[in-house]
């Protein structure tokens, strides 16, 4: 199965705009073998959830406590939560906070979409630095010892999706340097090998996310190593998002 995640980020400020985009999403034809997830901002979840057809709803983050805790999100019909996204890290989420969020989210029975990826400075240092950075983020964000007994038996691993989100390549479609499918596949293979050896997770899906558009989606998604994409800007247009879904089918 390929997972295609639409992250609407903070682009839509009014609930009516999010609801209008959701109307477009109702018309989407999701190919078989593909799961589509739409992630509006917290305040729009309820309005969007009402309107989505074959697309399930995810959250852009969770709150460790309060209105948008994982339990509350589950009550709203949310299936997935994006954690460790570059926007959340930029807003102050450290690896320790992200790890706590991963644990709470898994314990609440939601699926975790965990983003890792290097910023421009590390990218410029070359392959070894990139690999160390990405695997370091994974190591410090994933729970091994602190989970409730109920989920600690390893069953949590089926609810974990990792996204390689090279921060330097975000929102560069048509305006700057972005990643190649070859480089993305190389890091994704490395992530998979690390998950298998360090966490006994031989078959965890790993997605790619940075500047994926209708024009380049097929090049990324045809790589067998890449199990889906996290789509930011290009997910704001339902027709373009349909093309990305088609490329995954
Ligand atoms: P983009 O966003 O598709 O607009 O580059 C991706 C992301 O924020 O992860």
């Amino acid at each position: 199965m390929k997972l295609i995640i639409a992250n609407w980020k903070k682009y839509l400020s009014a609930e009516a705009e999010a609801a209008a985009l959701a109307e477009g999403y109702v018309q989407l034809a999701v190919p078989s073998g593909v799961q589509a997830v739409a992630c509006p901002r917290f305040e729009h979840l309820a309005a969007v959830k009402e309107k989505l057809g074959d697309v399930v709803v995810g959250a852009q983050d969770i709150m460790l406590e309060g209105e948008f805790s994982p339990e509350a999100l589950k009550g709203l019909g949310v299936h997935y939560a994006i954690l460790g996204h570059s926007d959340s890290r930029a807003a102050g989420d450290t690896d320790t906070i992200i790890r706590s969020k991963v644990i709470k989210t898994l314990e609440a029975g939601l699926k975790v979409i965990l983003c890792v990826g290097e910023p421009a400075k590390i990218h410029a240092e070359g392959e070894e630095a990139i690999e160390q950075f990405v695997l370091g983020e994974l190591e410090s964000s994933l729970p091994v010892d602190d989970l409730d007994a109920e989920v600690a038996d390893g069953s949590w691993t089926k609810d974990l999706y990792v996204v390689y989100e090279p921060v330097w390549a975000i929102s560069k479609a048509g305006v700057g340097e972005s990643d190649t499918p070859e480089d993305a596949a190389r890091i994704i293979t490395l992530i998979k090998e690390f998950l298998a050896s360090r966490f006994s997770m031989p078959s965890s899906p790993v997605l790619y996310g940075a500047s994926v558009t209708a024009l380049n989606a097929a090049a990324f998604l045809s790589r067998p190593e890449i199990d889906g994409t996290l789509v930011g800007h290009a997910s704001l247009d339902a027709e373009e998002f349909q093309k990305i879904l088609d490329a995954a089918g």
Side-chain angles (χ1 to χ4, degrees):
M1 188 197 68
K2 298 259 188 201
L3 185 64
I4 307 295
I5 302 160
N7 183 7
W8 298 353
K9 302 202 246 189
K10 301 290 181 279
Y11 291 121
L12 308 171
S13 46
E15 186 177 293
E17 287 176 280
L21 181 55
E23 296 282 1
Y25 270 52
V26 178
Q27 317 296 327
L28 293 174
V30 181
S32 78
V34 178
Q35 164 92 83
V37 184
C39 303
R41 56 206 289 169
F42 284 145
E43 315 85 277
H44 300 161
L45 278 166
V48 167
K49 170 81 179 76
E50 252 183 36
K51 294 188 191 287
L52 293 177
D54 290 341
V55 178
V56 303
V57 73
Q60 294 180 11
D61 200 349
I62 63 136
M63 289 179 181
L64 282 169
E65 275 164 23
E67 203 184 343
F68 297 108
S69 67
E71 294 78 14
L73 291 169
K74 203 171 179 198
L76 284 170
V78 166
H79 292 252
Y80 293 82
I82 300 173
L83 302 176
H85 186 269
S86 51
D87 288 350
S88 309
R89 292 180 190 266
D93 273 10
T94 59
D95 283 343
T96 311
I97 293 174
I98 293 163
R99 188 167 185 276
S100 305
K101 287 183 171 181
V102 169
I103 291 171
K104 278 210 94 179
T105 304
L106 291 169
E107 287 177 351
L110 295 183
K111 295 183 190 302
V112 164
I113 299 163
L114 174 67
C115 298
V116 293
E118 79 281 5
K121 183 177 164 294
I122 301 289
H123 187 72
E125 287 173 24
E127 271 180 31
E128 211 180 297
I130 297 170
E131 294 173 11
Q132 264 183 19
F133 186 92
V134 169
L135 299 186
E137 279 192 335
L138 268 182
E139 172 85 46
S140 47
S141 316
L142 286 180
V144 227
D145 305 324
D146 300 340
L147 283 167
D148 268 4
E150 239 176 85
V151 278
D153 62 2
S155 60
W156 61 274
T157 57
K158 74 175 183 353
D159 286 336
L160 183 82
Y161 298 78
V162 173
V163 181
Y164 173 50
E165 185 208 20
V167 177
W168 60 274
I170 293 172
S171 297
K172 293 283 167 58
V175 294
E177 192 200 354
S178 56
D179 215 356
T180 62
E182 293 68 34
D183 279 350
R186 186 176 57 78
I187 300 291
I188 283 175
T189 300
L190 199 81
I191 291 174
K192 289 187 174 187
E193 287 168 359
F194 180 78
L195 292 173
S197 65
R198 175 70 181 83
F199 295 102
S200 309
M201 295 162 64
S203 53
S204 266
V206 183
L207 285 56
Y208 178 73
S211 300
V212 174
T213 66
L215 292 178
N216 63 18
F220 284 101
L221 287 162
S222 61
R223 303 283 314 208
E225 305 88 339
I226 302 181
D227 299 306
T229 54
L230 175 69
V231 185
H233 202 264
S235 70
L236 298 177
D237 176 339
E239 278 177 30
E240 175 154 20
F241 192 62
Q242 177 69 61
K243 290 184 186 147
I244 296 171
L245 292 177
D246 293 342

